């Protein structure tokens, strides 16, 4: 597999985390690290582990925010389309895709609508960072 295929696998895994149909992190870790980019893989694995051990809706909301902002370039037309779908209740976390999110730079008010509650992003980021750091030690020891 080439490096871009592995990156696509990582992005797909992130989408599956949002949709709540992801494989167990331990099962997919070897695939997500095939290109040697362990730090990138661990980022997604930390989100999956955090979702399994904490407030899953908050983790999903944080992931939606990060995926919508991962592109430096704002796509205004796509953003308007997505916001309209969210406002009408036509899009849920279960049918949201990375392609729909990428470049939309969603504000928290729309993510709150998707998640159904306020998300404490600072607390979730801190918890995910702790999991990520613990995984780094664990993978280095393995």
């Amino acid at each position: 597999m080439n490096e871009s295929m592995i990156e696509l696998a990582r992005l797909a895994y992130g989408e599956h985390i949002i949709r709540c149909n992801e494989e167990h992190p331990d099962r997919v870790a070897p695939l997500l690290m095939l290109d040697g980019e362990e730090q990138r893989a661990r980022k997604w694995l930390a989100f999956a582990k955090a979702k399994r051990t904490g407030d899953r809706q908050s983790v999903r909301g944080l992931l939606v925010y990060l995926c919508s902002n991962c592109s430096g370039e704002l796509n205004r037309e796509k953003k308007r389309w997505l916001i309209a779908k969210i406002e009408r209740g036509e899009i849920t976390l279960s049918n949201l895709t990375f392609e729909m999110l990428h470049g939309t730079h969603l504000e928290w008010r729309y993510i709150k609508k998707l998640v159904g509650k306020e998300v404490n992003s600072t607390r979730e980021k801190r918890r995910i960072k702790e999991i990520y750091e613990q995984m780094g030690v664990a993978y280095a020891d393995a």
Side-chain angles (χ1 to χ4, degrees), residues 99-124:
E99 288 81 14
M100 290 175 187
L101 287 170
H102 189 256
T104 59
H105 299 246
L106 281 183
E107 291 91 9
W108 283 105
R109 62 184 166 163
Y110 301 113
I111 294 167
K112 179 182 175 186
K113 246 184 156 31
L114 283 168
V115 172
K117 65 178 199 165
E118 198 69 43
V119 175
N120 185 333
S121 61
T122 304
R123 181 182 62 223
E124 292 307 319

mmCIF file of all heavy atoms in Angstrom, residues 99-124:
data_model
loop_
_atom_site.group_PDB
_atom_site.id
_atom_site.type_symbol
_atom_site.label_atom_id
_atom_site.label_comp_id
_atom_site.label_asym_id
_atom_site.label_seq_id
_atom_site.Cartn_x
_atom_site.Cartn_y
_atom_site.Cartn_z
ATOM 1 N N GLU A 99 -16.069 14.142 3.492
ATOM 2 C CA GLU A 99 -16.195 14.999 2.302
ATOM 3 C C GLU A 99 -17.164 16.149 2.544
ATOM 4 O O GLU A 99 -16.954 17.256 2.064
ATOM 5 C CB GLU A 99 -16.635 14.186 1.084
ATOM 6 C CG GLU A 99 -15.574 13.268 0.533
ATOM 7 C CD GLU A 99 -15.453 11.948 1.313
ATOM 8 O OE1 GLU A 99 -16.359 11.624 2.122
ATOM 9 O OE2 GLU A 99 -14.443 11.261 1.130
ATOM 10 N N MET A 100 -18.247 15.878 3.272
ATOM 11 C CA MET A 100 -19.205 16.943 3.588
ATOM 12 C C MET A 100 -18.582 17.994 4.503
ATOM 13 O O MET A 100 -18.884 19.177 4.389
ATOM 14 C CB MET A 100 -20.436 16.364 4.292
ATOM 15 C CG MET A 100 -21.318 15.537 3.441
ATOM 16 S SD MET A 100 -22.609 14.853 4.524
ATOM 17 C CE MET A 100 -23.417 13.734 3.400
ATOM 18 N N LEU A 101 -17.736 17.570 5.412
ATOM 19 C CA LEU A 101 -17.153 18.465 6.415
ATOM 20 C C LEU A 101 -15.950 19.256 5.929
ATOM 21 O O LEU A 101 -15.776 20.417 6.286
ATOM 22 C CB LEU A 101 -16.709 17.645 7.633
ATOM 23 C CG LEU A 101 -17.793 17.106 8.528
ATOM 24 C CD1 LEU A 101 -17.207 16.120 9.530
ATOM 25 C CD2 LEU A 101 -18.483 18.247 9.243
ATOM 26 N N HIS A 102 -15.113 18.623 5.151
ATOM 27 C CA HIS A 102 -13.818 19.175 4.767
ATOM 28 C C HIS A 102 -13.959 20.569 4.164
ATOM 29 O O HIS A 102 -14.680 20.782 3.206
ATOM 30 C CB HIS A 102 -13.142 18.231 3.761
ATOM 31 C CG HIS A 102 -11.742 18.588 3.473
ATOM 32 N ND1 HIS A 102 -11.370 19.213 2.307
ATOM 33 C CD2 HIS A 102 -10.609 18.426 4.186
ATOM 34 C CE1 HIS A 102 -10.076 19.405 2.309
ATOM 35 N NE2 HIS A 102 -9.590 18.941 3.444
ATOM 36 N N GLY A 103 -13.290 21.535 4.782
ATOM 37 C CA GLY A 103 -13.262 22.897 4.264
ATOM 38 C C GLY A 103 -14.454 23.756 4.643
ATOM 39 O O GLY A 103 -14.585 24.869 4.155
ATOM 40 N N THR A 104 -15.337 23.263 5.525
ATOM 41 C CA THR A 104 -16.524 24.051 5.879
ATOM 42 C C THR A 104 -16.314 24.959 7.085
ATOM 43 O O THR A 104 -17.088 25.890 7.285
ATOM 44 C CB THR A 104 -17.734 23.134 6.148
ATOM 45 O OG1 THR A 104 -17.422 22.235 7.211
ATOM 46 C CG2 THR A 104 -18.140 22.372 4.896
ATOM 47 N N HIS A 105 -15.312 24.684 7.898
ATOM 48 C CA HIS A 105 -15.006 25.513 9.067
ATOM 49 C C HIS A 105 -16.261 25.781 9.905
ATOM 50 O O HIS A 105 -16.587 26.936 10.203
ATOM 51 C CB HIS A 105 -14.357 26.830 8.642
ATOM 52 C CG HIS A 105 -13.059 26.657 7.921
ATOM 53 N ND1 HIS A 105 -11.855 27.074 8.442
ATOM 54 C CD2 HIS A 105 -12.756 26.091 6.720
ATOM 55 C CE1 HIS A 105 -10.886 26.776 7.591
ATOM 56 N NE2 HIS A 105 -11.407 26.181 6.549
ATOM 57 N N LEU A 106 -16.942 24.720 10.288
ATOM 58 C CA LEU A 106 -18.187 24.846 11.060
ATOM 59 C C LEU A 106 -17.960 25.515 12.404
ATOM 60 O O LEU A 106 -16.979 25.237 13.083
ATOM 61 C CB LEU A 106 -18.803 23.475 11.310
ATOM 62 C CG LEU A 106 -19.583 22.828 10.191
ATOM 63 C CD1 LEU A 106 -20.169 21.498 10.663
ATOM 64 C CD2 LEU A 106 -20.674 23.727 9.659
ATOM 65 N N GLU A 107 -18.902 26.368 12.778
ATOM 66 C CA GLU A 107 -18.879 26.985 14.092
ATOM 67 C C GLU A 107 -19.516 26.015 15.087
ATOM 68 O O GLU A 107 -20.295 25.145 14.732
ATOM 69 C CB GLU A 107 -19.647 28.315 14.093
ATOM 70 C CG GLU A 107 -18.966 29.413 13.291
ATOM 71 C CD GLU A 107 -19.428 29.440 11.838
ATOM 72 O OE1 GLU A 107 -20.388 28.727 11.487
ATOM 73 O OE2 GLU A 107 -18.799 30.159 11.047
ATOM 74 N N TRP A 108 -19.207 26.232 16.367
ATOM 75 C CA TRP A 108 -19.690 25.342 17.423
ATOM 76 C C TRP A 108 -21.207 25.300 17.518
ATOM 77 O O TRP A 108 -21.787 24.292 17.904
ATOM 78 C CB TRP A 108 -19.070 25.726 18.769
ATOM 79 C CG TRP A 108 -17.657 25.254 18.863
ATOM 80 C CD1 TRP A 108 -16.524 26.022 18.767
ATOM 81 C CD2 TRP A 108 -17.211 23.905 19.028
ATOM 82 N NE1 TRP A 108 -15.412 25.222 18.874
ATOM 83 C CE2 TRP A 108 -15.805 23.921 19.038
ATOM 84 C CE3 TRP A 108 -17.866 22.683 19.172
ATOM 85 C CZ2 TRP A 108 -15.042 22.772 19.190
ATOM 86 C CZ3 TRP A 108 -17.110 21.531 19.320
ATOM 87 C CH2 TRP A 108 -15.719 21.589 19.330
ATOM 88 N N ARG A 109 -21.891 26.374 17.165
ATOM 89 C CA ARG A 109 -23.359 26.368 17.272
ATOM 90 C C ARG A 109 -23.971 25.304 16.373
ATOM 91 O O ARG A 109 -24.987 24.697 16.723
ATOM 92 C CB ARG A 109 -23.942 27.747 16.989
ATOM 93 C CG ARG A 109 -23.673 28.256 15.595
ATOM 94 C CD ARG A 109 -24.180 29.658 15.409
ATOM 95 N NE ARG A 109 -23.606 30.197 14.191
ATOM 96 C CZ ARG A 109 -24.067 31.233 13.573
ATOM 97 N NH1 ARG A 109 -25.120 31.853 14.049
ATOM 98 N NH2 ARG A 109 -23.492 31.664 12.484
ATOM 99 N N TYR A 110 -23.374 25.040 15.212
ATOM 100 C CA TYR A 110 -23.896 24.003 14.314
ATOM 101 C C TYR A 110 -23.497 22.610 14.797
ATOM 102 O O TYR A 110 -24.259 21.655 14.667
ATOM 103 C CB TYR A 110 -23.422 24.239 12.883
ATOM 104 C CG TYR A 110 -23.871 25.590 12.384
ATOM 105 C CD1 TYR A 110 -22.947 26.592 12.132
ATOM 106 C CD2 TYR A 110 -25.218 25.867 12.200
ATOM 107 C CE1 TYR A 110 -23.356 27.845 11.699
ATOM 108 C CE2 TYR A 110 -25.641 27.120 11.769
ATOM 109 C CZ TYR A 110 -24.704 28.097 11.527
ATOM 110 O OH TYR A 110 -25.128 29.336 11.111
ATOM 111 N N ILE A 111 -22.327 22.530 15.379
ATOM 112 C CA ILE A 111 -21.890 21.243 15.936
ATOM 113 C C ILE A 111 -22.776 20.888 17.127
ATOM 114 O O ILE A 111 -23.172 19.726 17.279
ATOM 115 C CB ILE A 111 -20.399 21.304 16.306
ATOM 116 C CG1 ILE A 111 -19.587 21.471 15.017
ATOM 117 C CG2 ILE A 111 -19.977 20.059 17.078
ATOM 118 C CD1 ILE A 111 -18.165 21.858 15.200
ATOM 119 N N LYS A 112 -23.130 21.888 17.918
ATOM 120 C CA LYS A 112 -24.037 21.661 19.046
ATOM 121 C C LYS A 112 -25.364 21.098 18.536
ATOM 122 O O LYS A 112 -25.935 20.197 19.142
ATOM 123 C CB LYS A 112 -24.268 22.965 19.807
ATOM 124 C CG LYS A 112 -25.211 22.830 20.968
ATOM 125 C CD LYS A 112 -25.447 24.156 21.654
ATOM 126 C CE LYS A 112 -26.491 23.986 22.742
ATOM 127 N NZ LYS A 112 -26.859 25.256 23.343
ATOM 128 N N LYS A 113 -25.844 21.617 17.426
ATOM 129 C CA LYS A 113 -27.086 21.109 16.844
ATOM 130 C C LYS A 113 -26.942 19.645 16.427
ATOM 131 O O LYS A 113 -27.854 18.848 16.622
ATOM 132 C CB LYS A 113 -27.460 21.953 15.628
ATOM 133 C CG LYS A 113 -28.722 22.737 15.786
ATOM 134 C CD LYS A 113 -29.004 23.443 14.478
ATOM 135 C CE LYS A 113 -30.382 23.811 14.209
ATOM 136 N NZ LYS A 113 -31.330 24.143 15.149
ATOM 137 N N LEU A 114 -25.803 19.302 15.864
ATOM 138 C CA LEU A 114 -25.554 17.914 15.458
ATOM 139 C C LEU A 114 -25.439 16.988 16.662
ATOM 140 O O LEU A 114 -25.978 15.878 16.660
ATOM 141 C CB LEU A 114 -24.260 17.820 14.641
ATOM 142 C CG LEU A 114 -24.309 18.281 13.197
ATOM 143 C CD1 LEU A 114 -22.904 18.406 12.643
ATOM 144 C CD2 LEU A 114 -25.130 17.318 12.364
ATOM 145 N N VAL A 115 -24.725 17.442 17.681
ATOM 146 C CA VAL A 115 -24.438 16.619 18.852
ATOM 147 C C VAL A 115 -25.628 16.593 19.812
ATOM 148 O O VAL A 115 -25.836 15.612 20.519
ATOM 149 C CB VAL A 115 -23.167 17.150 19.565
ATOM 150 C CG1 VAL A 115 -22.930 16.461 20.882
ATOM 151 C CG2 VAL A 115 -21.960 16.998 18.661
ATOM 152 N N GLY A 116 -26.394 17.674 19.831
ATOM 153 C CA GLY A 116 -27.544 17.741 20.718
ATOM 154 C C GLY A 116 -27.227 18.315 22.084
ATOM 155 O O GLY A 116 -28.049 18.254 22.992
ATOM 156 N N LYS A 117 -26.018 18.847 22.228
ATOM 157 C CA LYS A 117 -25.645 19.452 23.511
ATOM 158 C C LYS A 117 -24.378 20.276 23.328
ATOM 159 O O LYS A 117 -23.720 20.211 22.300
ATOM 160 C CB LYS A 117 -25.420 18.383 24.572
ATOM 161 C CG LYS A 117 -24.242 17.483 24.282
ATOM 162 C CD LYS A 117 -24.068 16.499 25.409
ATOM 163 C CE LYS A 117 -22.674 15.942 25.356
ATOM 164 N NZ LYS A 117 -22.319 15.280 26.565
ATOM 165 N N GLU A 118 -24.051 21.025 24.359
ATOM 166 C CA GLU A 118 -22.819 21.819 24.379
ATOM 167 C C GLU A 118 -21.623 20.880 24.524
ATOM 168 O O GLU A 118 -21.690 19.890 25.245
ATOM 169 C CB GLU A 118 -22.876 22.793 25.558
ATOM 170 C CG GLU A 118 -21.903 23.937 25.477
ATOM 171 C CD GLU A 118 -22.250 24.921 24.379
ATOM 172 O OE1 GLU A 118 -23.414 25.274 24.203
ATOM 173 O OE2 GLU A 118 -21.311 25.345 23.688
ATOM 174 N N VAL A 119 -20.553 21.182 23.836
ATOM 175 C CA VAL A 119 -19.344 20.360 23.896
ATOM 176 C C VAL A 119 -18.256 21.163 24.597
ATOM 177 O O VAL A 119 -17.967 22.294 24.212
ATOM 178 C CB VAL A 119 -18.869 19.972 22.481
ATOM 179 C CG1 VAL A 119 -17.552 19.235 22.530
ATOM 180 C CG2 VAL A 119 -19.923 19.145 21.771
ATOM 181 N N ASN A 120 -17.661 20.574 25.627
ATOM 182 C CA ASN A 120 -16.541 21.201 26.312
ATOM 183 C C ASN A 120 -15.269 20.768 25.573
ATOM 184 O O ASN A 120 -14.638 19.780 25.925
ATOM 185 C CB ASN A 120 -16.497 20.779 27.783
ATOM 186 C CG ASN A 120 -15.413 21.495 28.558
ATOM 187 O OD1 ASN A 120 -14.406 21.916 27.999
ATOM 188 N ND2 ASN A 120 -15.610 21.617 29.846
ATOM 189 N N SER A 121 -14.916 21.516 24.545
ATOM 190 C CA SER A 121 -13.806 21.113 23.676
ATOM 191 C C SER A 121 -12.466 21.119 24.410
ATOM 192 O O SER A 121 -11.612 20.281 24.147
ATOM 193 C CB SER A 121 -13.737 22.002 22.444
ATOM 194 O OG SER A 121 -13.516 23.342 22.798
ATOM 195 N N THR A 122 -12.287 22.038 25.340
ATOM 196 C CA THR A 122 -11.025 22.101 26.079
ATOM 197 C C THR A 122 -10.809 20.833 26.892
ATOM 198 O O THR A 122 -9.733 20.239 26.860
ATOM 199 C CB THR A 122 -11.006 23.329 27.007
ATOM 200 O OG1 THR A 122 -11.234 24.495 26.212
ATOM 201 C CG2 THR A 122 -9.691 23.443 27.737
ATOM 202 N N ARG A 123 -11.843 20.402 27.597
ATOM 203 C CA ARG A 123 -11.733 19.185 28.403
ATOM 204 C C ARG A 123 -11.500 17.956 27.514
ATOM 205 O O ARG A 123 -10.656 17.115 27.799
ATOM 206 C CB ARG A 123 -12.994 18.980 29.251
ATOM 207 C CG ARG A 123 -12.917 17.733 30.121
ATOM 208 C CD ARG A 123 -14.173 17.498 30.931
ATOM 209 N NE ARG A 123 -15.300 17.291 30.038
ATOM 210 C CZ ARG A 123 -16.503 17.827 30.202
ATOM 211 N NH1 ARG A 123 -16.753 18.582 31.239
ATOM 212 N NH2 ARG A 123 -17.466 17.583 29.352
ATOM 213 N N GLU A 124 -12.224 17.879 26.404
ATOM 214 C CA GLU A 124 -12.078 16.726 25.514
ATOM 215 C C GLU A 124 -10.693 16.697 24.876
ATOM 216 O O GLU A 124 -10.076 15.639 24.767
ATOM 217 C CB GLU A 124 -13.164 16.711 24.450
ATOM 218 C CG GLU A 124 -14.546 16.450 24.992
ATOM 219 C CD GLU A 124 -14.638 15.195 25.844
ATOM 220 O OE1 GLU A 124 -14.039 14.158 25.492
ATOM 221 O OE2 GLU A 124 -15.326 15.236 26.876
#
